[in-house]
Amino acid sequence: MTTVRLLAATYAALGLLAAGTHLPWLLAVVCLAALVAIGELWLRALTGEAMPPVARIGLAIASGLVSLPFVAITLHAAGVTIGTLSIAIGLAVLVTLLGGAVLVRERSGAAPADPRLPRMILAVGIPALLTLVAGFGSLQLYDRLPHPPPPGYTSLALNGWAAGIDRPVAIPARGVKVPVRISSAGLPAATEPLRVRMGARLVSGRTLAVAADATSSVDVFVPAPPDACLHRIEISLGASSTIFYGRGPATRGAATC
C-alpha cells in the first residue's frame, strides 16, 4: 500500500472516530484500524529497511498502541479536555507529521513499502476483530445479567458556606447555624438522631426525618464554645458525621489554652 493511500485511509478512519456513532463496537474497530495504520507510518518514518511481515505488523501494532497514550498525555499537558474529538484531532496531527516525514524519506530514494503488508494486516486484523466482537458481546451479556442491588447509604456533609471551611471557625457568643447536606440512597425513609458534640460533650440532639433517595439541606445550630480555645465540633446523623474546629469569643481573665 502506498503512503498516500495509507494516509487517506487513516484520515478517513480518524474522521469517523471524530464524528462519533451510537455503535461503540464500530468506534472500537475504527480506532484499532487507525492505530495499526499509524504504527505503520511510524515504521516508515523511522526506518526504510525491509523486514519480515510478521515482525513488521507486530511493531506496527505496538507503535500504534503507544501513540494513543502519547497523544492523551500531550493533550492533558496542554490543558485540553480528553475526549473522542480531541483524541481524533491529536492523532490527525500526529499522522500529518509522520506522513510528511515518510514522504520526504520516500522522495529521497528509500526502499518502498513491503507489498505483502496489506495481506498481513488482514491476517492479524480479522482474528483481532473477532476477539473484539466476542469481548464486546460478553460485556453486553454481563451487563444484562441480574446483579445484587448496591448497598444503601445515608451521608452527611458540610454545605453552603460551611463547605469551604479550611481553618478553625470563630463562633460568636450567639452561636452559628451550620448548613449540612443530607443524602440518602437505597434505603427506606427513616428517622435518625441528629446530634452536635463539642469534644466529648453532647451539646444538642434531636430527631430528623430522612427521606428515601433524596438530598436535602438542613441548618444545624452550633452554640459558642465556652472559651477561645480550639474545640472539635462534630455533627452526626445516625452513623454518619462531619467534623470541623471552632473557637468561642475571647473573654477577659480566661484561662490560656
Side-chain angles (χ1 to χ4, degrees):
M1 181 183 292
T2 64
T3 298
V4 174
R5 291 180 179 178
L6 182 61
L7 285 171
T10 307
Y11 283 129
L14 293 177
L16 290 175
L17 187 64
T21 177
H22 296 294
L23 300 175
W25 62 268
L26 180 58
L27 280 181
V29 173
V30 171
C31 183
L32 180 62
L35 291 179
V36 173
I38 292 172
E40 171 61 18
L41 288 173
W42 272 111
L43 295 182
R44 295 187 185 187
L46 296 177
T47 176
E49 299 177 0
M51 63 181 67
V54 175
R56 190 174 191 89
I57 192 64
L59 288 175
I61 292 175
S63 300
L65 292 177
V66 170
S67 300
L68 188 59
F70 170 75
V71 170
I73 293 174
T74 303
L75 291 175
H76 177 72
V80 178
T81 302
I82 298 177
T84 303
L85 180 59
S86 61
I87 287 290
I89 294 175
L91 289 175
V93 173
L94 178 62
V95 168
T96 301
L97 296 176
L98 292 175
V102 174
L103 292 175
V104 170
R105 174 183 286 276
E106 290 179 349
R107 289 185 177 182
S108 65
D114 193 334
R116 296 172 294 177
L117 181 62
R119 287 178 294 175
M120 183 57 63
I121 291 178
L122 290 177
V124 176
I126 291 176
L129 177 60
L130 294 176
T131 301
L132 181 64
V133 171
F136 181 79
S138 300
L139 289 176
Q140 292 293 316
L141 179 61
Y142 175 78
D143 289 338
R144 295 178 181 177
L145 292 175
H147 300 285
Y153 69 89
T154 297
S155 65
L156 180 71
L158 296 175
N159 196 29
W161 66 265
I165 292 177
D166 58 0
R167 58 177 58 87
V169 177
I171 301 177
R174 65 178 181 276
V176 66
K177 290 183 177 180
V178 178
V180 295
R181 184 180 66 254
I182 301 169
S183 299
S184 176
L187 295 176
T191 300
E192 299 283 353
L194 179 64
R195 300 185 177 95
V196 178
R197 288 183 172 85
M198 197 166 295
R201 182 170 61 94
L202 178 67
V203 295
S204 68
R206 62 185 175 95
T207 58
L208 181 69
V210 180
D213 299 318
T215 299
S216 59
S217 181
V218 176
D219 288 336
V220 179
F221 177 74
V222 176
D227 50 45
C229 297
L230 190 64
H231 293 268
R232 179 180 181 271
I233 300 171
E234 177 185 5
I235 301 175
S236 64
L237 179 67
S240 302
S241 65
T242 183
I243 297 170
F244 66 97
Y245 290 84
R247 304 178 186 272
T251 57
R252 292 183 179 181
T256 57
C257 301

